[in-house]
Structures are given as structure tokens and as C-alpha cells.
Amino acid sequence: MTRTHCPYCSLQCGMTLSRTGQRTGRSLEVQPWPEFPVNEGALCRKGWAATALRGHRERLTSPLVRDRATGELRAAGWEEALDLVAGRLRELQGAHGPDAVAVFGGGGLTNEKAYQLGKLARVALGTSQIDYNGRWCMSSAASAGNRAFGIDRGLPFPLADIERTDVLVLVGSNLAETMPPAARHLDRLRANGGRVVVVDPRRTATAERADLFLQPVPGTDLPLALGLLHLLDAAGAVDEEYVAARTTGWEEVRRSLAAWWPERVERVTGVETAQLRECAALLAGAARVTVLTARGAEQHAQGTDTVLAWIDLALALGMPGKAHAGYGCLTGQGNGQGGREHGQKADQLPGYRMIDDPAARDHVARVWGVPAASLPGPGRSAYELLDALGTDGGPQALLVFGSNIVVSAPNATHVASRLADLDLLVVADIVMSETAAMADVVLPVTQWAEETGTMTNLEGRVILRERAVAPPEGVRTDLEVIAGLAERLGSPIAFSTDAEEVFAELGRASSGGRADYAGITYDRIREEHGVFWPCPSTEHPGTPRLFGSGFATPDGRARFVAVEHRGPAEPTDAAYPVHLTTGRVLAQYQSGAQTRRVRELPDDGPFVELHPMLADRIGAYDGAPVVVTTRRGELKAPARVVSTIRPDTVFVPFHWVGANRLTHDALDPASRMPEFKVCAAAVSA
């Protein structure tokens, strides 16, 4: 029996793996782990089926190399594959410079892998061109959190704290489907007398649990927050004592609110004035308010400003730092938090240090044993990196670990064309994803149950996934792949393949940084069921709750930030008259490379959700095919005619090829987050 954690979302639910598997006929069987506090033994259907890829017929077990004569992938030995990759990388860097090679990571990689991948890029390759798909997950919330609070930890409190808040506001989150075990907190909150407000263009399963449901036009969460704050200020509900003692910048925000009277907010957002006033009254009358944002609010070209507007609302009410109240972000990917803290992002070094900070460079360079001057500077963000592939001055080779770019990138047809223009594409994966199918070299790597490593969940709780079973013959860990490449590239330092050794080094590299893991050890994680960062020493208990005595800013005060609504980068017009938004469904996860291959998980393929009024107007009916078109492409899929979506909006899930051929690649100026959640579209029968 092995205690470990689910391989999917940021809850990182605890589970126990049994190697008997007699009931299912598998070598591994999932069983509950009731003592783990995040999920108390509960799992969603994805978690219960998490071992299904073990022994799957589509599992990759041998390196594959594309034959230049036939264009087909053929089996190869590890030495041949790694020698080929390293040789081609050296050739390309010799011809075009260090930045001719790029690295693209994933928010599902362990902390150890994320750390080593950043070190591979900066030390062994000497390239600045590294980023990861977590840039598309919660980077806008991260940018806003750093600006307002001086630190980016998705939830500055344990998730269970929301059970004791008075009013919970969920903005752009469908946690009942995206992380079902978390929905019990909503039920307990309401049983305790609390109220739930859900903000979403669709009446989701989460909205069905709400006491008040607000259904704005996609891309208008920011003016909705400003309108609520306008009403709260007018009602005298601002906590003036808290604002004066613990914040700066309120007066500028207060002046900006004059433009957002309720009737204007209704015209912009579509939320009725009466509902706006009802929500403001709920907030004004509550002693404890918690605001949580998710991708629906953040995946916009104005995502950072949108989050800042909701943080402004929480600060005006005096909530951040108060028990069972405040602001938080619901991270999406399994290691979306830890994955960006230790070096996968273009502008960061381990410990959430900024790569252009001389002190940060000196500290990390000393840990690594290299000159600080040898470390490259900041590179391109995720989409900008992909957009530059194969171009003059852009990377000519790309190493991909833990990401299925062809499905998950915005404006995906364009991104696929950029991948096709590379001289070398190398993909490490467990199955033949759509991106791996384009690769010149495919490297088969271990999956979660076959390796040990840490993850950092949505609360900032560092947890340990323990190896439960040996990997198939012919498969290597990502740490072994990274070390093998580093050695062949002539790295001046050695790369360990032992996860616990790598984690100890990560602790030293992060020591003193904003995300300080120095006091966290594997033994502590096992004993304590996870340890919260920051944890600067082994004597430190970890920090479950932030901001009680101050914020992580130079003066200890939180920052109000005045923001203005600009609207979507691509507004609707006569040719493209409806809003397209995207999201997840219960049975699938991310690009679906894993979950689409699990027999127990329903896979009916993509669909287009639209309102009966819109369906009637275009002559569509439930189950019949419709075509959604944007300026970037089109998708044909069955219609799902439902009354739970706005009549001016269509929804498409993004787990299959097609949805992100439609989405816009406009970027948030601060976070570089693409605008996944709204663009102009046309729909026809």
C-alpha cells in the first residue's frame, strides 16, 4: 500500500494505491486515504480511474526517432536518441547562438522536474528561452497577487477555511466539475449559514449550489467588480480603519469608481441592477467575505486588471488577513503553483526569485556552482516563445516536457505551423499526444505512480507523490532524461537523478526567496501530510495562513490598484455576433491526452453549448452538428441546446483538437496570459 496523490488537478487529493488490484484486474488499484485533509478520502471519477494508463496499449515504452528518408517514426535505443538530440542541439546553437534552443515545460511536472528543467535551460543549454503552460493557467492572478500583496500564493489560507466565511464569491470557477471533492466545502459553508455567490456566463453545476447567481457577458468581470465596489462605497461599507492601517492607494481607486454607477454596469455586463444591489447588500452585511477567482476571470487580455479589481473589493471590505476571509485564486493544474516557483518561467529563478535581480542571480549561481554572469536573462513568455519558433532570430529547436501544445495553445493552427517549421522538435511524454506525433524525437517517460516527487497544491501545501510501482521496461524518468542531455551537452555541473536529492538542492536554491522551501523535507511531508510554504527552516512549522500581521511588501501594506475596463481584444460585430468562451467538463482534463484514453471516463468528443433562442435563430437543434467560426478557424461539433447559457454566448470544451483553433492569442500586458475565455464568433447549423 502506497500513500500518494492524484495526478490531475491542483487539489492533489490524497489516495492510496494497492498493488493487488484483484477487484479491477489491474496492477494498481485506487483506494481512499481518509486522513489526508484536503479531500478526506473523496475523489472524482478521474481520480478513481487514475491508474488506467498503467499497461495501456498506447503507452510509449521506447524512444522514437523520425526517419529522414521515410518521414516515419521508428523505435530507437536511448543512447542513440539522446546522442542525436544533444548533437543537433549543439549544431543549432553553434550556428545560431544559445537562444536557438527553447524549452517548454508543464504545470503538471513535479517541483523537482520543474527545478531541473530550469537549470538545464540556464546552465547546460545557456538559453533564455524557457517557459511553460502554467503561463496559461493562473499567471494573471499571480501578477495581480504580487502587485497587491507582494507575494503569489494562490490561496493564502487552507481551502477548508471557506466553510466558515459568511459570503463566498466565486468568479469564473466551476469547481463542482473541475475539482468535485472541493464542492463539499460549499455545502458545508451553506450548512453553517453562509451564502454563496457565483459569477459565470453559464449556469454550471457550481452555480446550482449558489444563493445568488450573476451571469455577465464574457469579459466583463472587471466592471462587475467596480460596480459592486461603487455600491459598497456609497453605502458606507468600506472598512476605513483597515484601509488606513493596512493599505495604500484607496483614494485613487475610490475616485475611479464614480464612473461605474449600477445602470452603466448593467449595460456593460448584462447583470441587472437589482441583482447588483442584492449582491452588494450581501457583501456589506457580512463580517467575513471570501473572494475566489479562477480561469473564467483570469484568462483574458485584461486578466491581471480583472483580478486586481476583485482584490480591491476584498481590501475595501477589510478581508485579506482576517480569519476565514480574504482573496484567493483557485489554481488549475496539478502543480500550477509549484511549477512556476522554481525556474520554468522565462523571468524567474528558483524560490520565485526574479532572474534580472542581481542578488537572486548570485544566490542561485552559488547553489549551482556556476558564475552568476553565465546565467542568461529573461526570455520570451509562453505564447511569444511559440510564436517565434522557426523564425529568423527565433528558436530553431524545442524541447517539450509535460505539455500538449497542439491542443492547448491559443490560435492553435498557427502554433502548429510554427512547430512544423522547427529544425528539431523533441517531446517527452507517456503517450503519443498530438504534439508528440509531430516530433522528430519522442522520449517515453514515467507517469506519476512510477516515480517519486513533490507537488504544491492550490493552498501552497507541498505534498509528496510516492513511487508505487516500477515503470515499464524501456521508460526513463524526466530527471534521467534531463541528466542524460545535460551530460551530453557538456554541462559544467552534474544533474542528480534522485528526486530527494534534487528537492534538497531546490530547498537551498529557494532559501530566502518569496517561495522558501528550505525547511521542507520528504520526512516532514510524510509526517505532517504536507507542509505549507514559506518554510525557511526545519524548525519552522510552515505557514498555512498569510497576511495576518502584514503583507509581503516593503512597508507591509497591501496595494489598492485603480484599473479601467477596456473590453475584449476582439469585440463582436455583424460578421461575428456571438461571444465564444471555453472551459472544462467533468470527465476530461486539460488537453485530454491522458483522460481521453481512459475507458471509464465518458468521451463524447467536443460539443457546442448554445441557448435555445440562438439555436432557433440559426435553425439548429440538440444533437445536430453546428459550425463555430472565428477569424482563426472553425469547429464542427454537435449542438447542446441548453437554457443555462447566455443567448449571446456559445461554449466549447477545450479537451479536444479544435477549440483552441478558434481562440484569440491577444496577451495580457502584465502576465502575458492569452485571451482564452472570450473572442468573437459566428455559429451556423
Side-chain angles (χ1 to χ4, degrees), residues 392-453:
D392 291 341
Q396 305 303 308
L398 181 67
L399 308 179
V400 180
F401 289 78
S403 187
N404 189 9
I405 298 165
V406 171
V407 177
S408 63
N411 198 3
T413 300
H414 171 70
V415 169
S417 72
R418 296 267 51 83
L419 292 173
D421 283 345
L422 287 167
D423 287 324
L424 179 69
L425 174 61
V426 180
V427 175
D429 212 326
I430 65 173
V431 294
M432 186 62 74
S433 69
E434 288 79 0
T435 306
M438 294 185 65
D440 300 291
V441 180
V442 182
L443 303 175
V445 291
T446 49
Q447 62 167 306
W448 116 105
E450 300 161 358
E451 60 188 13
T452 294

Side-chain angles (χ1 to χ4, degrees), residues 353-366:
R353 289 180 158 91
M354 304 313 293
I355 200 167
D356 55 2
D357 176 0
R361 295 169 64 85
D362 287 344
H363 175 88
V364 174
R366 283 197 302 273

Side-chain angles (χ1 to χ4, degrees), residues 275-287:
Q275 282 194 307
L276 196 71
R277 293 186 184 278
E278 182 183 357
C279 185
L282 270 179
L283 299 174

Side-chain angles (χ1 to χ4, degrees), residues 161-177:
D161 278 12
I162 69 172
E163 295 175 9
R164 295 174 62 188
T165 199
D166 295 317
V167 177
L168 173 66
V169 183
L170 287 171
V171 189
S173 168
N174 182 17
L175 89 175
E177 291 192 80

